[in-house]
Amino acid sequence: MPSYTVTVATGTQWFAGTDDYIYLSLEGTAGCSERHLLDKPFYNDFERGAVDSYDVTVAEDLGEIQLLKIEKRKYWFHDDWYLRYITVKTPVGDHLEFPCYRWITEDKEIVLRDGRAKLHRDDKTQILKQHRRKELEERQKMYRWKEWHPGFPLSIDANCHSDLPRDIQFDSEKGVDFILNYSKAMENLYVNRFMHMFQSSWSDFADFEKIFVRISNTISEYVMQHWQEDFMFGYQFLNGCNPVMIKRCRELPIKLPVTTDMVECSLERNLTLEEEIKQGNIFLVDYELLDGIDANKTDPCTLQYVAAPICLLYKNMENKIVPIAIQISQTPGPDNPIFLPSDDKYDWLLAKIWVRSSDFHMHQTVTHLLRTHLISEVFGIAMFRQLPAVHPLFKLLVPHVRFTIAINTKAREQLICECGLFDKANATGGGGHVQMVQRATKELTYSSLCFPEEIKAKGMDSKEDIPYYYYRDDGIKVWEVIKSFTTDVIDIYYESDEVVCEDVELQAFVKDVYVYGMKGNKSSGFPKTIKTREKLSEYLTVAIFTASAQHAAVNFGQYDWCSWIPNSPPTMRQPPPTEKGTVTIEQIVESLPDRGRSCWHLGAVWALSQFQENELFLGMYPDEHFIEKPVKQAMMKFRKDLDEIVSVITERNKNKKLPYYYLSPNRIPNSVAV
């Protein structure tokens, strides 16, 4: 009788093994096998990390194996099992691979296809078509869209982490408990003695050092030493943790009535302000989105304030970007003066602090939360709903949505919800952050997620004009390598644009992103359909780049740039100055966060800047969803290209006091997971 050798690999994560009964049956073109219990006498099967082999004998030849069914039945109590893959050696010596990489819970069964990626049109038999359809029907019941707040991109229909499908939950929920992690961070930073000292102001700038952790040769210490200097203020717009706000100024906005006389002492080329603008030496950062946003009122004992400043910057003769004028509110007038470097020292310093505080709000809520976390979740939900596991694009994208829906659900549960942790220390907590996301979602465009296109639209693309914009330089390198990789994969499975047009599952995925994720907003520019291989490559690059590189660029530098509180205040406790010549050091310290809020802020930026345990970085694909040799070769090329970028960045950063490494591929996680 024919005999098949079946090899079963159990996951390596905690609690991946099971003591339940595991049954297997094979379905081929010539018939189906009986259900076989996979069990070895006197042996503990399916332990965590185990790879177990079994001989399965059948009554007659099954023909070509099409499906493999795994059933789990309770032994003593329900014991979830994480199945990595199964391989089958047929009687004629063929080796078949059946990737799974899923949890099997309760008394459930799953049906697997072999690992060769197939488009919808490739399935000719009814049994394979039916399996494909049934998988998506089941997924669409599990992965449902929900509006968490009006005006937000749609998210997963789950109130808490435990409501999520088991396959997308964290291995250990404890590891991503924000309350626990923030408290642990404050304990590790030795600042927990201050964490309840709300309303208690610091004495002076030096007093902030009581909660500042000195780590030798780090960016954070350099920031502490130089934060008051104009060059450091300007540098952060290029290479800080929010390097997306600055744009070249083509014309001075009417709402910012700066004249040449005002800034003449800052201009180094003996040109008028208008001439400097024409030469491309003037830059603008406008926080208009913050205008009218409600400040946090959750603590009746502390008034908090939000402003919407406009900052004018200048590229000096050393090619450094420095500030030359700041207006703290949007509407010009006698009670909204334009602050200048020539003003009193503390006037100018407080104006810069207001800009830095506003930048923090934009970074956390728009750059970070909306434009990486929420957008990646949209791609993830649409992928699970519309692409079956056998689809090549599912195999390509699934590593890049790992834990994303889980971390966002946890954030909605503990962080950005009403009375959540965000309210503790942030001036935009208590509802202001919701208003910001609503406004920013209306303005969000697909083209702004296309990295080179967005850099060019802001007039920031010239390396000769702006030589120290490492975020741009490294980002474009990583974008191009990802795009080359997606193109290589697409070319394997889509031999023409016509095949792209005819892929109904791909089109359903794109439509789901547009209709549900982006709520059918035409002005967003998100495509409703994709008709060419070139556009498909761009679309997939947007999804992967946003989840990996873009998130890394704006997330993992938070402790570096925001741990010195005066450089990045999460709240301001005094209103903006309305006249010049009155600001004192005492007024600045009273404006900055109190001791309690400073500590919560420090715990947050520390926790958010840490990589996950067992982090998977860009190009690392330990789960072998793809089994075909051409794709594995494309992956090897991808990793080689990424390694070359790492070498270039490492060489550039040598001996730099301010190295830029956030977009080095060996520091870019595959997905948004923190």
Side-chain angles (χ1 to χ4, degrees):
M1 292 194 293
S3 180
Y4 295 80
T5 302
V6 175
T7 302
V8 181
T10 297
T12 56
Q13 57 269 67
W14 288 105
F15 312 114
T18 187
D19 288 325
D20 284 355
Y21 296 112
I22 303 298
Y23 296 90
L24 174 141
S25 50
L26 301 170
E27 189 165 346
T29 52
C32 303
S33 74
E34 294 180 355
R35 192 175 73 151
H36 290 264
L37 174 65
L38 300 181
D39 182 47
K40 295 179 188 175
F42 311 111
Y43 177 75
N44 200 349
D45 305 274
F46 315 116
E47 287 292 281
R48 173 187 168 208
V51 178
D52 301 315
S53 292
Y54 305 87
D55 289 326
V56 174
T57 303
V58 297
E60 56 187 26
D61 182 58
L62 303 176
E64 183 183 345
I65 302 297
Q66 294 187 309
L67 299 175
L68 181 153
K69 183 190 289 186
I70 289 286
E71 300 174 60
K72 187 172 77 66
R73 296 291 178 255
K74 184 170 69 173
Y75 169 64
W76 186 252
F77 57 87
H78 287 302
D79 191 10
D80 293 352
W81 179 41
Y82 188 86
L83 172 60
R84 292 181 63 218
Y85 62 82
I86 293 177
T87 63
V88 176
K89 183 181 178 184
T90 68
V92 295
D94 293 338
H95 285 266
L96 306 176
E97 297 179 48
F98 293 81
C100 181
Y101 304 105
R102 288 166 56 190
W103 286 94
I104 305 176
T105 60
E106 299 179 340
D107 285 349
K108 292 282 178 69
E109 64 180 50
I110 60 169
V111 180
L112 302 177
R113 288 183 56 168
D114 79 81
R116 292 171 296 173
K118 299 288 183 182
L119 298 177
H120 183 269
R121 69 169 196 162
D122 297 329
D123 286 342
K124 306 302 183 186
T125 65
Q126 197 58 38
I127 188 171
L128 295 180
K129 290 179 181 178
Q130 185 180 352
H131 174 264
R132 198 174 192 115
R133 185 172 61 249
K134 188 177 178 183
E135 181 186 5
L136 289 180
E137 287 171 355
E138 289 175 357
R139 289 241 215 97
Q140 286 164 14
K141 291 174 186 174
M142 296 167 64
Y143 297 86
R144 302 174 304 278
W145 294 105
K146 179 183 178 182
E147 185 177 67
W148 186 68
H149 257 295
F152 274 51
L154 293 195
S155 51
I156 195 76
D157 184 5
N159 293 321
C160 59
H161 182 266
S162 58
D163 289 346
L164 294 171
R166 183 70 180 90
D167 288 329
I168 60 169
Q169 291 182 24
F170 281 102
D171 296 333
S172 168
E173 188 176 355
K174 195 176 181 182
V176 287
D177 186 293
F178 285 107
I179 298 171
L180 184 67
N181 286 353
Y182 285 19
S183 302
K184 199 186 298 178
M186 285 185 275
E187 189 177 327
N188 292 341
L189 296 167
Y190 304 107
V191 300
N192 47 338
R193 67 189 186 278
F194 297 112
M195 63 187 284
H196 300 298
M197 297 174 69
F198 292 92
Q199 291 85 51
S200 172
S201 297
W202 301 96
S203 306
D204 50 33
F205 294 141
D207 205 19
F208 281 96
E209 291 191 49
K210 289 179 180 175
I211 63 165
F212 184 75
V213 178
R214 289 175 182 271
I215 304 171
S216 181
N217 298 322
T218 62
I219 291 172
S220 57
E221 191 163 341
Y222 194 87
V223 171
M224 182 196 74
Q225 294 164 352
H226 298 279
W227 72 281
Q228 297 188 43
E229 299 168 26
D230 286 354
F231 98 88
M232 175 59 81
F233 179 88
Y235 180 85
Q236 292 178 75
F237 289 115
L238 299 178
N239 301 309
C241 62
N242 192 28
V244 304
M245 296 294 297
I246 190 169
K247 64 181 180 181
R248 199 183 294 271
C249 181
R250 304 295 186 190
E251 184 180 1
L252 205 62
I254 295 172
K255 63 185 178 182
L256 183 64
V258 178
T259 64
T260 299
D261 289 343
M262 287 180 179
V263 297
E264 193 170 18
C265 62
S266 297
L267 307 180
E268 299 179 354
R269 295 177 176 85
N270 294 320
L271 300 173
T272 65
L273 180 59
E274 289 72 23
E275 289 169 337
E276 293 279 16
I277 289 172
K278 283 180 183 174
Q279 288 205 3
N281 297 322
I282 303 297
F283 300 85
L284 189 72
V285 178
D286 189 352
Y287 297 93
E288 183 178 19
L289 186 136
L290 285 163
D291 193 26
I293 293 294
D294 293 336
N296 193 338
K297 296 181 177 66
T298 58
D299 180 359
C301 299
T302 304
L303 289 174
Q304 299 180 62
Y305 298 89
V306 175
I310 314 170
C311 180
L312 205 63
L313 299 120
Y314 176 63
K315 185 184 73 173
N316 65 20
M317 298 290 281
E318 296 177 341
N319 283 325
K320 290 180 179 176
I321 304 290
V322 293
I324 57 172
I326 294 170
Q327 184 177 284
I328 299 180
S329 300
Q330 289 284 307
T331 307
D335 60 349
N336 184 24
I338 295 173
F339 291 94
L340 307 165
S342 54
D343 290 340
D344 179 82
K345 173 185 175 182
Y346 291 130
D347 283 358
W348 181 234
L349 181 60
L350 183 56
K352 289 192 292 182
I353 288 172
W354 269 103
V355 173
R356 293 297 309 140
S357 183
S358 300
D359 194 73
F360 175 81
H361 300 314
M362 284 294 294
H363 166 260
Q364 288 291 5
T365 307
V366 179
T367 307
H368 183 206
L369 173 62
L370 172 62
R371 293 179 63 87
T372 63
H373 278 257
L374 300 185
I375 292 302
S376 291
E377 181 175 5
V378 164
F379 283 118
I381 297 170
M383 180 203 75
F384 281 114
R385 286 173 52 82
Q386 302 299 347
L387 298 177
V390 73
H391 198 290
L393 301 189
F394 178 91
K395 294 171 181 281
L396 178 67
L397 291 176
V398 71
H400 301 287
V401 298
R402 178 177 179 257
F403 298 147
T404 300
I405 300 172
I407 195 70
N408 288 359
T409 302
K410 204 70 183 168
R412 287 186 285 269
E413 189 182 344
Q414 292 184 328
L415 192 61
I416 59 174
C417 56
E418 192 173 344
C419 302
L421 288 174
F422 200 83
D423 295 354
K424 286 269 188 189
N426 296 294
T428 51
H433 61 304
V434 172
Q435 296 170 357
M436 289 176 68
V437 172
Q438 289 167 333
R439 289 185 184 184
T441 300
K442 287 180 183 176
E443 299 173 5
L444 178 67
T445 63
Y446 174 76
S447 63
S448 72
L449 299 175
C450 298
F451 190 84
E453 203 172 322
E454 175 68 353
I455 293 289
K456 191 170 185 178
K458 291 179 182 293
M460 301 295 293
D461 52 316
S462 172
K463 292 185 181 182
E464 290 74 26
D465 282 356
I466 316 158
Y468 305 120
Y469 197 11
Y470 305 127
Y471 163 74
R472 170 204 60 205
D473 300 342
D474 298 352
I476 286 174
K477 287 188 185 81
V478 174
W479 170 276
E480 288 174 349
V481 166
I482 294 174
K483 193 163 189 289
S484 173
F485 174 52
T486 61
T487 300
D488 289 345
V489 175
I490 288 166
D491 288 348
I492 294 168
Y493 297 101
Y494 297 88
E495 62 263 31
S496 67
D497 292 343
E498 186 181 3
V499 179
V500 172
C501 293
E502 291 174 353
D503 185 352
V504 292
E505 290 164 341
L506 160 63
Q507 302 303 336
F509 163 62
V510 173
K511 185 179 178 181
D512 235 37
V513 170
Y514 173 72
V515 171
Y516 295 104
M518 303 312 300
K519 296 180 172 177
N521 178 11
K522 288 183 181 178
S523 63
S524 73
F526 271 74
K528 302 175 193 176
T529 60
I530 288 180
K531 298 180 179 178
T532 67
R533 293 190 293 177
E534 174 62 29
K535 278 296 176 186
L536 177 55
S537 175
E538 178 188 81
Y539 193 82
L540 297 172
T541 303
V542 166
I544 295 172
F545 184 90
T546 300
S548 57
Q550 189 61 39
H551 180 255
V554 302
N555 182 73
F556 294 104
Q558 291 188 74
Y559 185 79
D560 288 346
W561 297 100
C562 304
S563 58
W564 180 246
I565 308 292
N567 184 61
S568 200
T571 188
M572 298 292 278
R573 296 181 298 136
Q574 297 291 330
T578 55
E579 56 183 341
K580 296 186 181 185
T582 62
V583 177
T584 63
I585 182 70
E586 290 77 19
Q587 183 184 341
I588 293 177
V589 173
E590 283 297 317
S591 297
L592 290 169
D594 55 41
R595 293 169 191 256
R597 286 178 176 81
S598 296
C599 292
W600 277 100
H601 168 80
L602 199 62
V605 298
W606 172 269
L608 290 170
S609 299
Q610 307 307 304
F611 293 120
Q612 287 279 344
E613 188 179 354
N614 302 320
E615 190 72 82
L616 296 176
F617 294 99
L618 192 58
M620 293 172 61
Y621 301 121
D623 292 356
E624 295 190 40
H625 292 276
F626 283 110
I627 67 167
E628 296 98 316
K629 190 174 180 180
V631 189
K632 291 189 175 185
Q633 288 172 338
M635 287 177 173
M636 286 176 62
K637 176 176 173 285
F638 183 38
R639 282 190 287 270
K640 182 173 177 290
D641 292 344
L642 292 171
D643 288 342
E644 288 175 6
I645 297 175
V646 172
S647 299
V648 170
I649 292 173
T650 303
E651 185 63 31
R652 181 197 66 207
N653 284 338
K654 278 183 181 175
N655 303 318
K656 276 194 181 296
K657 291 177 181 176
L658 282 173
Y660 186 81
Y661 43 69
Y662 308 115
L663 282 168
S664 183
N666 60 347
R667 299 175 69 98
I668 299 175
N670 266 332
S671 63
V672 176
V674 66

